[in-house]
Amino acid sequence: MTSYIFAPKPPVGLPIVGSSKLFPARRVYCIGRNYAAHAREMGGNPDREPPFFFMKPGDGVQVVPNGKLARHPYPPGTSDYHHELELVAALRKGGRDIPESGALAHVYGYAVGLDMTRRDRQGEAKKLQRPWEIGKSGDKSAIVGPLTLAAKAGGILAAELELTVNGAVRQKASTADMIWSLAEQIAILSQYFTLAPGDLIMTGTPEGVNAVIKGDVMEGRIGELQPIRVRVD
């Protein structure tokens, strides 16, 4: 029997609407600049850029319990900490070279998420052509709410996204505005990685990303999914 020098940490478990079970998070894949207006506000050209991806650690997920206010620690090493509202897809099965036509059958459920970003550190990395981990992959940098089963989330791929900070609207768009659809994202990712049950895909953010400070309360909504409320501490 295999033994470890210390007990392995269990995976982060996401609550599932209508179930007492938890969804074990594995990897977190994120697509960059997947809404045209956001690509432009970040200095990109959505008409010519192919899709690109980065990752966050599975244990970097912060769970927002159903109907509760979550407290999110303002991280060290930044003075320009940004919110990015995103639709999160959770996979129930994986594989390699998944065809786009069958990709959505791999989705277990959907959730409201926030890709929290040290924008100043990300900007420095871009200028130096270095990896983005310090900007993008911090502790609790992937905030994810309760999962709604895919079968009960009809229309979610053409649903309104809205993020408010202290009641003021910061981001508002539709998931139908994605440059690369979720099915395309799954198919493309599976060309480079073996996807697996438990993987999360953060599908990109619309325009309006901006900084938050301690005390700010972020509220994210996407269609009929469970909304999330997060206070920056």
Side-chain angles (χ1 to χ4, degrees), residues 179-202:
I179 297 170
W180 299 92
S181 71
L182 174 58
E184 290 173 318
Q185 292 177 58
I186 293 171
I188 293 167
L189 281 168
S190 72
Q191 295 173 14
Y192 299 97
F193 303 95
T194 301
L195 300 180
D199 285 345
L200 304 178
I201 299 176
M202 302 191 79

PDB file of all heavy atoms in Angstrom, residues 179-202:
ATOM      1  N   ILE A 179     -15.876  35.265 -28.989  1.00  0.00           N
ATOM      2  CA  ILE A 179     -15.229  35.103 -30.296  1.00  0.00           C
ATOM      3  C   ILE A 179     -15.091  33.616 -30.620  1.00  0.00           C
ATOM      4  O   ILE A 179     -15.384  33.168 -31.721  1.00  0.00           O
ATOM      5  CB  ILE A 179     -13.847  35.788 -30.299  1.00  0.00           C
ATOM      6  CG1 ILE A 179     -13.999  37.294 -30.083  1.00  0.00           C
ATOM      7  CG2 ILE A 179     -13.120  35.501 -31.615  1.00  0.00           C
ATOM      8  CD1 ILE A 179     -12.688  38.018 -29.843  1.00  0.00           C
ATOM      9  N   TRP A 180     -14.617  32.849 -29.640  1.00  0.00           N
ATOM     10  CA  TRP A 180     -14.471  31.398 -29.764  1.00  0.00           C
ATOM     11  C   TRP A 180     -15.498  30.760 -28.848  1.00  0.00           C
ATOM     12  O   TRP A 180     -15.488  30.981 -27.643  1.00  0.00           O
ATOM     13  CB  TRP A 180     -13.053  30.966 -29.389  1.00  0.00           C
ATOM     14  CG  TRP A 180     -12.017  31.581 -30.279  1.00  0.00           C
ATOM     15  CD1 TRP A 180     -11.341  32.756 -30.082  1.00  0.00           C
ATOM     16  CD2 TRP A 180     -11.562  31.084 -31.534  1.00  0.00           C
ATOM     17  NE1 TRP A 180     -10.499  33.014 -31.127  1.00  0.00           N
ATOM     18  CE2 TRP A 180     -10.616  32.000 -32.040  1.00  0.00           C
ATOM     19  CE3 TRP A 180     -11.876  29.944 -32.282  1.00  0.00           C
ATOM     20  CZ2 TRP A 180      -9.961  31.805 -33.255  1.00  0.00           C
ATOM     21  CZ3 TRP A 180     -11.211  29.752 -33.501  1.00  0.00           C
ATOM     22  CH2 TRP A 180     -10.276  30.672 -33.976  1.00  0.00           C
ATOM     23  N   SER A 181     -16.402  29.977 -29.411  1.00  0.00           N
ATOM     24  CA  SER A 181     -17.470  29.356 -28.636  1.00  0.00           C
ATOM     25  C   SER A 181     -16.904  28.341 -27.651  1.00  0.00           C
ATOM     26  O   SER A 181     -15.759  27.896 -27.778  1.00  0.00           O
ATOM     27  CB  SER A 181     -18.454  28.650 -29.568  1.00  0.00           C
ATOM     28  OG  SER A 181     -17.858  27.479 -30.133  1.00  0.00           O
ATOM     29  N   LEU A 182     -17.730  27.955 -26.676  1.00  0.00           N
ATOM     30  CA  LEU A 182     -17.288  26.949 -25.716  1.00  0.00           C
ATOM     31  C   LEU A 182     -16.947  25.642 -26.409  1.00  0.00           C
ATOM     32  O   LEU A 182     -15.937  25.004 -26.085  1.00  0.00           O
ATOM     33  CB  LEU A 182     -18.366  26.722 -24.657  1.00  0.00           C
ATOM     34  CG  LEU A 182     -18.088  25.584 -23.667  1.00  0.00           C
ATOM     35  CD1 LEU A 182     -16.788  25.799 -22.914  1.00  0.00           C
ATOM     36  CD2 LEU A 182     -19.259  25.431 -22.707  1.00  0.00           C
ATOM     37  N   ALA A 183     -17.753  25.223 -27.373  1.00  0.00           N
ATOM     38  CA  ALA A 183     -17.456  23.978 -28.098  1.00  0.00           C
ATOM     39  C   ALA A 183     -16.109  24.065 -28.795  1.00  0.00           C
ATOM     40  O   ALA A 183     -15.317  23.105 -28.775  1.00  0.00           O
ATOM     41  CB  ALA A 183     -18.571  23.689 -29.106  1.00  0.00           C
ATOM     42  N   GLU A 184     -15.815  25.208 -29.390  1.00  0.00           N
ATOM     43  CA  GLU A 184     -14.509  25.390 -30.040  1.00  0.00           C
ATOM     44  C   GLU A 184     -13.385  25.357 -29.012  1.00  0.00           C
ATOM     45  O   GLU A 184     -12.320  24.768 -29.262  1.00  0.00           O
ATOM     46  CB  GLU A 184     -14.494  26.710 -30.805  1.00  0.00           C
ATOM     47  CG  GLU A 184     -15.377  26.709 -32.036  1.00  0.00           C
ATOM     48  CD  GLU A 184     -15.488  28.088 -32.678  1.00  0.00           C
ATOM     49  OE1 GLU A 184     -15.620  29.087 -31.950  1.00  0.00           O
ATOM     50  OE2 GLU A 184     -15.450  28.156 -33.915  1.00  0.00           O
ATOM     51  N   GLN A 185     -13.600  25.985 -27.855  1.00  0.00           N
ATOM     52  CA  GLN A 185     -12.563  25.984 -26.820  1.00  0.00           C
ATOM     53  C   GLN A 185     -12.233  24.566 -26.366  1.00  0.00           C
ATOM     54  O   GLN A 185     -11.059  24.208 -26.210  1.00  0.00           O
ATOM     55  CB  GLN A 185     -13.024  26.820 -25.628  1.00  0.00           C
ATOM     56  CG  GLN A 185     -13.127  28.306 -25.918  1.00  0.00           C
ATOM     57  CD  GLN A 185     -13.654  29.071 -24.732  1.00  0.00           C
ATOM     58  OE1 GLN A 185     -13.084  29.027 -23.651  1.00  0.00           O
ATOM     59  NE2 GLN A 185     -14.748  29.790 -24.915  1.00  0.00           N
ATOM     60  N   ILE A 186     -13.272  23.758 -26.123  1.00  0.00           N
ATOM     61  CA  ILE A 186     -13.044  22.379 -25.684  1.00  0.00           C
ATOM     62  C   ILE A 186     -12.282  21.607 -26.757  1.00  0.00           C
ATOM     63  O   ILE A 186     -11.313  20.891 -26.461  1.00  0.00           O
ATOM     64  CB  ILE A 186     -14.384  21.694 -25.368  1.00  0.00           C
ATOM     65  CG1 ILE A 186     -15.030  22.335 -24.135  1.00  0.00           C
ATOM     66  CG2 ILE A 186     -14.188  20.188 -25.139  1.00  0.00           C
ATOM     67  CD1 ILE A 186     -16.455  21.881 -23.878  1.00  0.00           C
ATOM     68  N   ALA A 187     -12.709  21.750 -28.003  1.00  0.00           N
ATOM     69  CA  ALA A 187     -12.053  21.033 -29.095  1.00  0.00           C
ATOM     70  C   ALA A 187     -10.585  21.449 -29.237  1.00  0.00           C
ATOM     71  O   ALA A 187      -9.693  20.595 -29.397  1.00  0.00           O
ATOM     72  CB  ALA A 187     -12.809  21.280 -30.400  1.00  0.00           C
ATOM     73  N   ILE A 188     -10.317  22.738 -29.163  1.00  0.00           N
ATOM     74  CA  ILE A 188      -8.939  23.225 -29.323  1.00  0.00           C
ATOM     75  C   ILE A 188      -8.064  22.790 -28.145  1.00  0.00           C
ATOM     76  O   ILE A 188      -6.942  22.310 -28.334  1.00  0.00           O
ATOM     77  CB  ILE A 188      -8.925  24.756 -29.479  1.00  0.00           C
ATOM     78  CG1 ILE A 188      -9.599  25.155 -30.802  1.00  0.00           C
ATOM     79  CG2 ILE A 188      -7.492  25.294 -29.431  1.00  0.00           C
ATOM     80  CD1 ILE A 188      -9.915  26.631 -30.911  1.00  0.00           C
ATOM     81  N   LEU A 189      -8.573  22.942 -26.923  1.00  0.00           N
ATOM     82  CA  LEU A 189      -7.798  22.513 -25.754  1.00  0.00           C
ATOM     83  C   LEU A 189      -7.443  21.038 -25.827  1.00  0.00           C
ATOM     84  O   LEU A 189      -6.322  20.629 -25.466  1.00  0.00           O
ATOM     85  CB  LEU A 189      -8.587  22.794 -24.473  1.00  0.00           C
ATOM     86  CG  LEU A 189      -8.585  24.231 -23.960  1.00  0.00           C
ATOM     87  CD1 LEU A 189      -9.636  24.402 -22.875  1.00  0.00           C
ATOM     88  CD2 LEU A 189      -7.199  24.612 -23.419  1.00  0.00           C
ATOM     89  N   SER A 190      -8.375  20.220 -26.313  1.00  0.00           N
ATOM     90  CA  SER A 190      -8.142  18.774 -26.349  1.00  0.00           C
ATOM     91  C   SER A 190      -7.117  18.366 -27.402  1.00  0.00           C
ATOM     92  O   SER A 190      -6.674  17.217 -27.423  1.00  0.00           O
ATOM     93  CB  SER A 190      -9.457  18.026 -26.588  1.00  0.00           C
ATOM     94  OG  SER A 190      -9.917  18.174 -27.919  1.00  0.00           O
ATOM     95  N   GLN A 191      -6.721  19.299 -28.260  1.00  0.00           N
ATOM     96  CA  GLN A 191      -5.643  19.017 -29.202  1.00  0.00           C
ATOM     97  C   GLN A 191      -4.275  19.082 -28.520  1.00  0.00           C
ATOM     98  O   GLN A 191      -3.301  18.507 -29.016  1.00  0.00           O
ATOM     99  CB  GLN A 191      -5.682  20.019 -30.355  1.00  0.00           C
ATOM    100  CG  GLN A 191      -6.911  19.923 -31.234  1.00  0.00           C
ATOM    101  CD  GLN A 191      -6.976  21.048 -32.247  1.00  0.00           C
ATOM    102  OE1 GLN A 191      -5.995  21.770 -32.477  1.00  0.00           O
ATOM    103  NE2 GLN A 191      -8.141  21.218 -32.868  1.00  0.00           N
ATOM    104  N   TYR A 192      -4.224  19.770 -27.379  1.00  0.00           N
ATOM    105  CA  TYR A 192      -2.950  19.984 -26.701  1.00  0.00           C
ATOM    106  C   TYR A 192      -2.869  19.308 -25.335  1.00  0.00           C
ATOM    107  O   TYR A 192      -1.783  19.048 -24.823  1.00  0.00           O
ATOM    108  CB  TYR A 192      -2.710  21.486 -26.517  1.00  0.00           C
ATOM    109  CG  TYR A 192      -2.648  22.240 -27.815  1.00  0.00           C
ATOM    110  CD1 TYR A 192      -3.765  22.907 -28.321  1.00  0.00           C
ATOM    111  CD2 TYR A 192      -1.476  22.266 -28.574  1.00  0.00           C
ATOM    112  CE1 TYR A 192      -3.711  23.591 -29.519  1.00  0.00           C
ATOM    113  CE2 TYR A 192      -1.406  22.944 -29.769  1.00  0.00           C
ATOM    114  CZ  TYR A 192      -2.535  23.608 -30.248  1.00  0.00           C
ATOM    115  OH  TYR A 192      -2.482  24.280 -31.438  1.00  0.00           O
ATOM    116  N   PHE A 193      -4.025  19.064 -24.708  1.00  0.00           N
ATOM    117  CA  PHE A 193      -4.081  18.460 -23.379  1.00  0.00           C
ATOM    118  C   PHE A 193      -5.069  17.296 -23.390  1.00  0.00           C
ATOM    119  O   PHE A 193      -6.027  17.305 -24.159  1.00  0.00           O
ATOM    120  CB  PHE A 193      -4.558  19.477 -22.324  1.00  0.00           C
ATOM    121  CG  PHE A 193      -3.725  20.714 -22.236  1.00  0.00           C
ATOM    122  CD1 PHE A 193      -4.081  21.864 -22.929  1.00  0.00           C
ATOM    123  CD2 PHE A 193      -2.581  20.751 -21.449  1.00  0.00           C
ATOM    124  CE1 PHE A 193      -3.325  23.020 -22.839  1.00  0.00           C
ATOM    125  CE2 PHE A 193      -1.814  21.899 -21.354  1.00  0.00           C
ATOM    126  CZ  PHE A 193      -2.180  23.030 -22.053  1.00  0.00           C
ATOM    127  N   THR A 194      -4.835  16.341 -22.503  1.00  0.00           N
ATOM    128  CA  THR A 194      -5.839  15.316 -22.267  1.00  0.00           C
ATOM    129  C   THR A 194      -6.791  15.863 -21.221  1.00  0.00           C
ATOM    130  O   THR A 194      -6.455  15.942 -20.035  1.00  0.00           O
ATOM    131  CB  THR A 194      -5.197  14.008 -21.777  1.00  0.00           C
ATOM    132  OG1 THR A 194      -4.265  13.532 -22.762  1.00  0.00           O
ATOM    133  CG2 THR A 194      -6.264  12.943 -21.541  1.00  0.00           C
ATOM    134  N   LEU A 195      -7.964  16.280 -21.642  1.00  0.00           N
ATOM    135  CA  LEU A 195      -8.952  16.810 -20.714  1.00  0.00           C
ATOM    136  C   LEU A 195      -9.518  15.677 -19.864  1.00  0.00           C
ATOM    137  O   LEU A 195      -9.502  14.511 -20.264  1.00  0.00           O
ATOM    138  CB  LEU A 195     -10.073  17.516 -21.475  1.00  0.00           C
ATOM    139  CG  LEU A 195      -9.637  18.700 -22.352  1.00  0.00           C
ATOM    140  CD1 LEU A 195     -10.835  19.313 -23.058  1.00  0.00           C
ATOM    141  CD2 LEU A 195      -8.893  19.743 -21.536  1.00  0.00           C
ATOM    142  N   ALA A 196     -10.017  16.022 -18.673  1.00  0.00           N
ATOM    143  CA  ALA A 196     -10.462  14.998 -17.737  1.00  0.00           C
ATOM    144  C   ALA A 196     -11.643  15.495 -16.922  1.00  0.00           C
ATOM    145  O   ALA A 196     -11.868  16.708 -16.801  1.00  0.00           O
ATOM    146  CB  ALA A 196      -9.317  14.601 -16.806  1.00  0.00           C
ATOM    147  N   PRO A 197     -12.421  14.572 -16.339  1.00  0.00           N
ATOM    148  CA  PRO A 197     -13.498  14.987 -15.443  1.00  0.00           C
ATOM    149  C   PRO A 197     -12.947  15.863 -14.319  1.00  0.00           C
ATOM    150  O   PRO A 197     -11.885  15.575 -13.756  1.00  0.00           O
ATOM    151  CB  PRO A 197     -14.025  13.661 -14.895  1.00  0.00           C
ATOM    152  CG  PRO A 197     -13.675  12.649 -15.925  1.00  0.00           C
ATOM    153  CD  PRO A 197     -12.355  13.105 -16.489  1.00  0.00           C
ATOM    154  N   GLY A 198     -13.645  16.936 -14.011  1.00  0.00           N
ATOM    155  CA  GLY A 198     -13.185  17.867 -12.982  1.00  0.00           C
ATOM    156  C   GLY A 198     -12.521  19.105 -13.533  1.00  0.00           C
ATOM    157  O   GLY A 198     -12.327  20.081 -12.806  1.00  0.00           O
ATOM    158  N   ASP A 199     -12.184  19.086 -14.821  1.00  0.00           N
ATOM    159  CA  ASP A 199     -11.576  20.278 -15.413  1.00  0.00           C
ATOM    160  C   ASP A 199     -12.595  21.406 -15.512  1.00  0.00           C
ATOM    161  O   ASP A 199     -13.775  21.182 -15.808  1.00  0.00           O
ATOM    162  CB  ASP A 199     -11.035  19.972 -16.810  1.00  0.00           C
ATOM    163  CG  ASP A 199      -9.753  19.168 -16.771  1.00  0.00           C
ATOM    164  OD1 ASP A 199      -9.119  19.086 -15.700  1.00  0.00           O
ATOM    165  OD2 ASP A 199      -9.378  18.607 -17.822  1.00  0.00           O
ATOM    166  N   LEU A 200     -12.124  22.625 -15.258  1.00  0.00           N
ATOM    167  CA  LEU A 200     -12.941  23.827 -15.392  1.00  0.00           C
ATOM    168  C   LEU A 200     -12.406  24.662 -16.545  1.00  0.00           C
ATOM    169  O   LEU A 200     -11.191  24.763 -16.733  1.00  0.00           O
ATOM    170  CB  LEU A 200     -12.905  24.659 -14.110  1.00  0.00           C
ATOM    171  CG  LEU A 200     -13.319  23.971 -12.809  1.00  0.00           C
ATOM    172  CD1 LEU A 200     -13.184  24.939 -11.641  1.00  0.00           C
ATOM    173  CD2 LEU A 200     -14.747  23.437 -12.895  1.00  0.00           C
ATOM    174  N   ILE A 201     -13.306  25.249 -17.304  1.00  0.00           N
ATOM    175  CA  ILE A 201     -12.917  26.165 -18.376  1.00  0.00           C
ATOM    176  C   ILE A 201     -13.551  27.515 -18.106  1.00  0.00           C
ATOM    177  O   ILE A 201     -14.781  27.636 -18.021  1.00  0.00           O
ATOM    178  CB  ILE A 201     -13.358  25.639 -19.755  1.00  0.00           C
ATOM    179  CG1 ILE A 201     -12.695  24.279 -20.042  1.00  0.00           C
ATOM    180  CG2 ILE A 201     -12.991  26.645 -20.848  1.00  0.00           C
ATOM    181  CD1 ILE A 201     -13.149  23.640 -21.338  1.00  0.00           C
ATOM    182  N   MET A 202     -12.708  28.517 -17.929  1.00  0.00           N
ATOM    183  CA  MET A 202     -13.170  29.891 -17.790  1.00  0.00           C
ATOM    184  C   MET A 202     -13.158  30.498 -19.184  1.00  0.00           C
ATOM    185  O   MET A 202     -12.106  30.593 -19.825  1.00  0.00           O
ATOM    186  CB  MET A 202     -12.287  30.668 -16.809  1.00  0.00           C
ATOM    187  CG  MET A 202     -12.232  30.024 -15.430  1.00  0.00           C
ATOM    188  SD  MET A 202     -11.474  31.053 -14.131  1.00  0.00           S
ATOM    189  CE  MET A 202     -12.847  32.152 -13.732  1.00  0.00           C
TER     190      MET A 202
END
